[in-house]
Amino acid sequence: MPSAPSSQPARPGWILCHHCDAAYARPTLQRNEVARCERCNNVLLKPPRLQPQALLALSLTALLAFCFANLYPIVNVELNGDSRSTTIIGAAMALSETSYGLVTALVLATLLLFPLLEICLMVWISGFLVAGKRCPGFHGAVHTLQDLAPWGMLDVFALSLAVALAKLFGIASVSFNVGMVGLIGLVILMPLLSNTPLHELWDLRLVDKEPDALAEPAS
Amino acid sequence: MTASIITGRSKALLQCHYCSFVVNHDAALEADGHPHCPRCSAVLHQRKPNSQARTWALVITAMLFYIPANVLPIMHTHAINGNQSSTIVGGVLHLWHLESYDLAIIVFVASVIVPLGKMLSLILLALFNTLGYAGKQQARTRLYNFLELIGPWSMLDIFVVALLAAIVQFRGLATIQPGLATVAFAMVVVLTMLAAKSYDPRLTWDHSKPND
Ligand SMILES: [Zn+2]
Ligand SMILES: [Zn+2]
């Protein structure tokens, strides 16, 4: 069985600060060491911390939480014997009833489509990584993940739910449903998943014809 | 202090936005006339293309949408004791009068402070670059990093309205419908996030004199 890939020691060559474009010779870092830019003080480089097995476990758990959060209603609200429950899709569709298609699309994308895409791509990529391989479509998959990063909004949705329910407390009786467990799980897991150092995926040497880094700058 | 700093631009080096691979500009040039990353094949840019013009256009459009977002009603309530339409600020004031101070503050921060602060900050950052101002660079870089962090939180009120409209459908007793301001406000959120993404923080440092 192939052993799981581990991040390689730092490549030689240049590194540029993403925030100010200052150029440095790529430093070799010890554990718990962080390189900072001398000019703007932002983090330049951290030691690699990507663990494919942990990432696979995390993304599979998130997938499970996603199914619970979307297949079951999140809350039940009862008023004078009349009961209503809602799912995440239900909330998005409530906006479409008044034909605000644009807002519905945005809500569906930020709460459903983008998080689901992020989770599935993570399962796909980390599943192959655990087996020591790059997944088919690796370039496109990682680029998509990196582009999606700021557009998942489940954490904002959770706070919105708290605000909406607080407005209803005292007027109607509110009870939580199974979907709530899934939503809480997602709110905890999605930030962990989004915190994955995606750029490290590129540093794993899983292909033979890796281009050579530019020669080390004369210092 | 920065006398010893060399930049990627001065060495004609490009760093891939996706995989952080560093290449020489000429070595990365491909048949389509653009440099590409040798490792992940993404198109490389020395600076984000048309960064200043895009940021200005997006943030000004966002400002324009912010007006209807606040003037138009965001929510219509139909109840047995009468119908009511409320704006974003009206909703905050309503919560305040109900003595739900914590909710009032959460909604006020997410719907007013965050989007307004974000638009004004982006205007300030873009203006400094347009004027070629070279001071307070560390503070400007920190402000930009902060703006990227708070981006999505202004969606809060839209989600609240969506949830209320989905839940409060008790025919004859009370129903809630979303108002037109949700569309304008959604545009503000998307446009400010795109504006922050178009802004290039490296431009802040391009005006530094080499021997300061
Ligand atoms: Zn820097
Ligand atoms: Zn690349």
Side-chain angles (χ1 to χ4, degrees), chain B residues 113-125:
Chain B
I113 306 261
V114 169
L116 209 55
K118 201 172 163 184
M119 287 185 286
L120 293 177
S121 306
L122 278 169
I123 288 175
L124 198 67
L125 289 173

Side-chain angles (χ1 to χ4, degrees), chain B residues 19-31:
Chain B
C19 75
S20 299
F21 200 80
V22 178
V23 274
N24 186 281
H25 177 274
D26 295 337
L29 266 184
E30 285 186 15

Side-chain angles (χ1 to χ4, degrees), chain B:
Chain B
M1 181 193 99
T2 54
S4 61
I5 294 281
I6 44 169
T7 61
R9 173 180 268 180
S10 69
K11 295 274 176 191
L13 296 176
L14 297 170
Q15 179 162 260
C16 178
H17 163 70
Y18 290 102
C19 75
S20 299
F21 200 80
V22 178
V23 274
N24 186 281
H25 177 274
D26 295 337
L29 266 184
E30 285 186 15
D32 65 355
H34 295 287
H36 285 260
C37 176
R39 184 155 68 160
C40 77
S41 69
V43 180
L44 303 173
H45 302 284
Q46 188 89 67
R47 296 289 177 269
K48 292 178 188 174
N50 293 323
S51 165
Q52 282 291 104
R54 276 191 202 183
T55 308
W56 275 120
L58 289 164
V59 80
I60 288 170
T61 319
M63 287 297 264
L64 292 178
F65 274 106
Y66 193 64
I67 300 167
N70 277 282
V71 175
L72 296 172
I74 193 149
M75 194 167 84
H76 304 286
T77 314
H78 310 281
I80 28 177
N81 54 351
N83 297 342
Q84 190 195 341
S85 296
S86 56
T87 59
I88 291 173
V89 176
V92 173
L93 289 176
H94 184 66
L95 285 170
W96 191 265
H97 288 309
L98 291 174
E99 297 183 0
S100 311
Y101 300 119
D102 41 0
L103 293 188
I105 290 170
I106 290 174
V107 177
F108 183 71
V109 168
S111 307
V112 181
I113 306 261
V114 169
L116 209 55
K118 201 172 163 184
M119 287 185 286
L120 293 177
S121 306
L122 278 169
I123 288 175
L124 198 67
L125 289 173
L127 191 66
F128 281 159
N129 286 347
T130 303
L131 296 176
Y133 172 60
K136 299 264 182 299
Q137 284 145 322
Q138 287 213 358
R140 285 154 69 187
T141 308
R142 271 201 301 274
L143 176 61
Y144 176 67
N145 291 347
F146 180 65
L147 291 185
E148 284 208 301
L149 217 77
I150 61 171
W153 286 93
S154 27
M155 277 297 278
L156 184 105
D157 218 24
I158 293 181
F159 292 151
V160 171
V161 172
L163 280 164
L164 289 177
I167 296 170
V168 185
Q169 292 295 337
F170 302 104
R171 308 263 170 232
L173 282 172
T175 57
I176 287 178
Q177 280 189 319
L180 202 52
T182 52
V183 182
F185 203 76
M187 291 301 293
V188 173
V189 178
V190 172
L191 288 167
T192 49
M193 284 180 74
L194 290 176
K197 210 174 149 47
S198 315
Y199 179 84
D200 193 331
R202 290 167 294 194
L203 297 178
T204 307
W205 298 87
D206 285 346
H207 297 289
S208 322
K209 293 186 202 84
N211 291 314
D212 270 359

Side-chain angles (χ1 to χ4, degrees), chain A residues 17-63:
Chain A
C17 175
H18 277 292
H19 303 268
C20 76
D21 200 35
Y24 304 92
R26 182 176 272 267
T28 313
L29 296 176
Q30 305 298 316
R31 253 170 131 34
N32 303 325
E33 229 182 357
V34 172
R36 285 184 178 276
C37 175
E38 286 174 30
R39 183 155 77 155
C40 73
N41 204 34
N42 279 294
V43 172
L44 199 62
L45 191 68
K46 285 180 183 174
R49 60 189 170 90
L50 187 82
Q51 291 172 312
Q53 283 95 342
L55 191 60
L56 181 62
L58 186 65
S59 44
L60 284 174
T61 318
L63 188 61

Side-chain angles (χ1 to χ4, degrees), chain A residues 97-157:
Chain A
E97 279 171 28
T98 30
S99 74
Y100 301 144
L102 186 87
V103 191
T104 309
L106 184 65
V107 173
L108 282 178
T110 55
L111 298 183
L112 225 75
L113 184 66
F114 294 163
L116 182 62
L117 193 57
E118 185 176 346
I119 294 169
C120 290
L121 287 173
M122 280 291 194
V123 171
W124 178 247
I125 293 170
S126 58
F128 276 90
L129 277 188
V130 168
K133 291 190 187 103
R134 271 193 177 179
C135 65
F138 182 79
H139 286 200
V142 182
H143 283 165
T144 309
L145 268 182
Q146 290 179 309
D147 286 333
L148 278 180
W151 292 99
M153 301 188 184
L154 280 163
D155 43 358
V156 183
F157 181 74

